[in-house]
Each structure stands twice: as C-alpha cells, then as structure tokens.
C-alpha cells in the first residue's frame, strides 16, 4: 500500500491535490505501516505454529468492518492495476460473529493481494460472504444470499462443511 501510493504521488504529483492526498492516502499509509508490523507478528505466529504454541483469539466482531477495511486498503492498488474490486456481504451475515479479526484480516490481505496480482486489467476481484448451514447446497445458499458464486459447486472440498460464515475471494 505504501509503495503503490508513493508511486502514484511521485508519478503524478500535480494530479493528486494535497487535501485529497491527506484525506484519502495518509490513512492508508498509516494502515499499511501497521500492517507491516502485523506481518512481523504473523511471522512470529508462524514460529509459534511450528513450536505447537499458536492460539486463535476469537472475539465478537463485525465481518463487514474487516471486509470494508481490506477493500479501502486495496482500493488504490486495484485502481492502479485497472481492476474492479467489489465486496458483497449478505444481509444474513450477523453484525457480530465470533472469529479472530486479525487472522481473518491477514488471510484476506494475502488472498486479495494475490488476486490483484494475477487479475488482468479490466478484470474483477470479488470478496463475497454469506452464511452456510451444514449439508446445505452451498451454491444455492450463495444464490439465495444474492452472492454470485464463482467456485465450482461440484468441488469435493465443499461437501460436509460445518455451519458457519463463508468468505471467498
């Protein structure tokens, strides 16, 4: 994020007004630097996993907040790449779910970053989320939630998933 924004500012310093830069990009730069610190913590977590001491820290949190934050974070990169970045969280997703927001943020960061890297100009990267019930038809659930399902419905990894919130990029 920091790299892309500074590239944008350096390439066209007169096309981005200072007030827009401060209002729009400084918060992203600040968040990006925080994310770098988070990455260091992730590397430390990886060491904990290898040592058998990793902990997931679930808390009640709003998934929409995490998704909106990741979309805002990657907006400048998506625009620069000519890729449309969308997000759809179904209305059925509760405003308070039990999950580790930092871990989900890290996973989304990785998935969105890779999706942007490998999506051609003019393409779309979509973040989608909906609720799933055990043994239900996941493609039908997505459709009912108003989500355009883009994973093959016959993928064996989708059978017998426990009930929960599905998040896909």
């Amino acid at each position: 994020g920091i790299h892309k924004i500074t590239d944008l500012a350096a390439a066209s310093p007169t096309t981005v007004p200072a007030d827009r830069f401060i209002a729009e990009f400084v918060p992203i730069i600040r968040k990006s630097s925080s994310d770098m610190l988070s990455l260091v913590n992730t590397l430390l977590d990886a060491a904990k996993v290898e040592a058998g001491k990793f902990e997931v820290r679930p808390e009640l949190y709003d998934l929409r907040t995490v998704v909106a934050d990741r979309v805002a974070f990657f907006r400048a990169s998506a625009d620069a790449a000519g890729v449309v970045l969308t997000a759809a969280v179904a209305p059925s997703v509760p405003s308070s779910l039990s999950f580790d927001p930092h871990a989900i943020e890290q996973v989304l960061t990785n998935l969105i970053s890779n999706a942007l890297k490998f999506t051609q100009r003019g393409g779309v990267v979509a973040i989608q989320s909906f609720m799933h019930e055990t043994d239900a038809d996941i493609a039908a659930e997505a459709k009912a939630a108003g989500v355009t399902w883009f994973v093959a419905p016959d993928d064996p990894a989708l059978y017998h998933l426990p009930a929960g919130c599905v998040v896909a990029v």
Side-chain angles (χ1 to χ4, degrees):
I2 294 169
H3 185 70
K4 289 287 185 184
I5 289 170
T6 54
D7 281 352
L8 175 67
S12 54
T14 59
T15 60
V16 180
D19 59 337
R20 178 178 173 221
F21 187 87
I22 291 169
E24 207 172 312
F25 298 135
V26 167
I28 294 171
I29 293 169
R30 180 174 170 77
K31 179 70 173 128
S32 293
S33 64
S34 294
D35 286 345
M36 283 192 289
L37 179 59
S38 179
L39 179 59
V40 169
N41 289 329
T42 299
L43 294 173
L44 294 173
D45 286 345
K48 288 179 187 177
V49 167
E50 289 177 2
K53 297 181 181 183
F54 180 75
E55 291 179 35
V56 174
R57 295 182 180 94
E59 60 183 87
L60 291 177
Y61 206 81
D62 188 355
L63 179 66
R64 286 171 184 79
T65 301
V66 176
V67 170
D69 178 64
R70 295 296 79 203
V71 169
F73 178 78
F74 282 103
R75 177 68 58 211
S77 295
D79 290 348
V83 173
V84 175
L85 179 59
T86 67
V89 178
S92 62
V93 174
S95 60
S96 183
L97 290 169
S98 180
F99 65 98
D100 185 333
H102 304 292
I104 296 302
E105 182 177 279
Q106 290 171 345
V107 170
L108 284 174
T109 294
N110 185 293
L111 292 173
I112 297 166
S113 176
N114 285 337
L116 289 173
K117 192 181 306 180
F118 296 106
T119 300
Q120 295 179 2
R121 182 171 284 283
V124 176
V125 171
I127 305 158
Q128 302 180 352
S129 181
F130 59 93
M131 297 306 294
H132 166 68
E133 294 298 327
T134 305
D135 293 329
D137 180 338
I138 201 161
E141 289 175 317
K143 184 176 181 180
V147 171
T148 304
W149 187 245
F150 49 83
V151 177
D154 58 347
D155 185 337
L158 300 177
Y159 296 121
H160 308 295
L161 290 175
C165 184
V166 174
V167 180
V169 177

